Amino acid sequence: MLTPPRSMYRKVPQIGVLFWVIKLLTTALGESTSDFLVNGFDPYLSVAATFVLFAVALAMQLRTRRYVPWVYWFAIVMVAVFGTMAADVLHVVLGVSYAASTVGFAMVLAAIFWIWRRVEGTLSIHNMTTVRREVFYWAAVAATFALGTAAGDLLAYTAQLGFLEAGLVFAVLFALPGIAWRVFRLNAIFAFWAAYVLTRPLGASFADWTGKAHDAGGLGWGDGPVAAVLAVLIIAFVGYLQVTHKDVDRTPEPALS
């Protein structure tokens, strides 16, 4: 007799203003923390330690049966930090250009979406009620961070726009999917994922602008202090959600067989 699949509640938060605020903060934190660890400590040890924390955070998220704010956002933070390091390794260690890595990660993300859509029939995050769907989701999330990292560096360094100018460009691009969805009825799933990809270079550009030295085009606040402030803000917002459950959808859905 076949064992029925594990039934779960939805494993992701409801999408609202606070979701996008925290998401942008995590992308900025990923950039500043990655740079602080790699430049301030042994880079190989930093990458290895970050990978361990990334694996632990993802395992915790996959083992839960419902959305738990601190678990979910801890996983997002670790994807942000490790994803940034992984994308940077391609350029710094392997010498892959930002243009090539941007195209490569875009192809990876497109492949994940294609397989996910073909297997599950939808890319909607509101149906996150099975382990298989959640694995697709986190694979896509990781790919968006890597793609966003490469695209942000492509604009800031290769195109020589600078951190602030690149951040302003990405801010405009980030707003466009939401406007198109509300005004022109753009497909909601497409609008969500387009905006989601753009949160990475948007947050990272402003993290670099505030943290990097003056001669590098930043304000010179330092990656460490910027990361610390971002971490405090994220903890405060996630703590609020953990207590209030404002973004929890309590409606259960049966898992698919």
Side-chain angles (χ1 to χ4, degrees):
M1 180 177 181
L2 295 177
T3 302
R6 185 178 67 172
S7 177
M8 299 189 301
Y9 286 71
R10 292 183 179 90
K11 297 287 297 292
V12 296
Q14 290 184 336
I15 308 303
V17 173
L18 198 52
F19 171 87
W20 292 113
V21 169
I22 300 175
K23 178 62 171 62
L24 286 168
L25 290 174
T26 63
T27 62
L29 178 65
E31 178 72 16
S32 56
T33 301
S34 174
D35 290 345
F36 174 70
L37 292 177
V38 171
N39 296 322
F41 303 91
D42 182 276
Y44 297 101
L45 182 60
S46 296
V47 172
T50 302
F51 173 76
V52 171
L53 289 175
F54 161 74
V56 169
L58 202 55
M60 290 172 59
Q61 169 64 21
L62 291 174
R63 286 180 62 85
T64 62
R65 295 188 61 186
R66 66 180 66 223
Y67 166 65
V68 180
W70 78 267
V71 176
Y72 173 86
W73 287 110
F74 176 47
I76 290 290
V77 166
M78 292 317 304
V79 171
V81 178
F82 182 70
T84 300
M85 287 184 175
D88 287 342
V89 163
L90 286 179
H91 179 74
V92 177
V93 178
L94 301 181
V96 179
S97 68
Y98 291 130
S101 58
T102 299
V103 173
F105 285 128
M107 294 174 63
V108 170
L109 181 60
I112 292 172
F113 281 151
W114 183 82
I115 298 172
W116 183 0
R117 179 69 172 77
R118 188 170 181 83
V119 172
E120 296 293 344
T122 179
L123 300 178
S124 174
I125 66 169
H126 300 297
N127 296 317
M128 208 62 54
T129 55
T130 67
V131 175
R132 186 172 66 186
R133 287 177 178 178
E134 193 177 9
V135 169
F136 278 123
Y137 172 77
W138 285 103
V141 168
T144 63
F145 273 99
L147 172 60
T149 300
D153 290 339
L154 176 66
L155 217 59
Y157 293 108
T158 305
Q160 298 182 344
L161 283 186
F163 302 127
L164 177 59
E165 291 78 4
L168 294 175
V169 170
F170 284 121
V172 173
L173 294 176
F174 169 72
L176 289 179
I179 295 173
W181 167 73
R182 182 171 295 274
V183 177
F184 303 108
R185 302 301 181 188
L186 178 68
N187 179 273
I189 296 175
F190 179 85
F192 169 80
W193 283 111
Y196 198 96
V197 170
L198 289 165
T199 59
R200 176 58 185 77
L202 173 56
S205 295
F206 283 100
D208 282 336
W209 177 56
T210 55
K212 295 297 182 285
H214 293 284
D215 56 3
L219 297 178
W221 295 356
D223 292 323
V226 169
V229 172
L230 291 169
V232 170
L233 290 174
I234 292 171
I235 290 171
F237 283 128
V238 174
Y240 169 78
L241 294 177
Q242 186 68 44
V243 172
T244 63
H245 306 292
K246 290 287 188 179
D247 62 341
V248 175
D249 188 343
R250 296 179 176 83
T251 305
E253 290 185 358
L256 295 180
S257 59

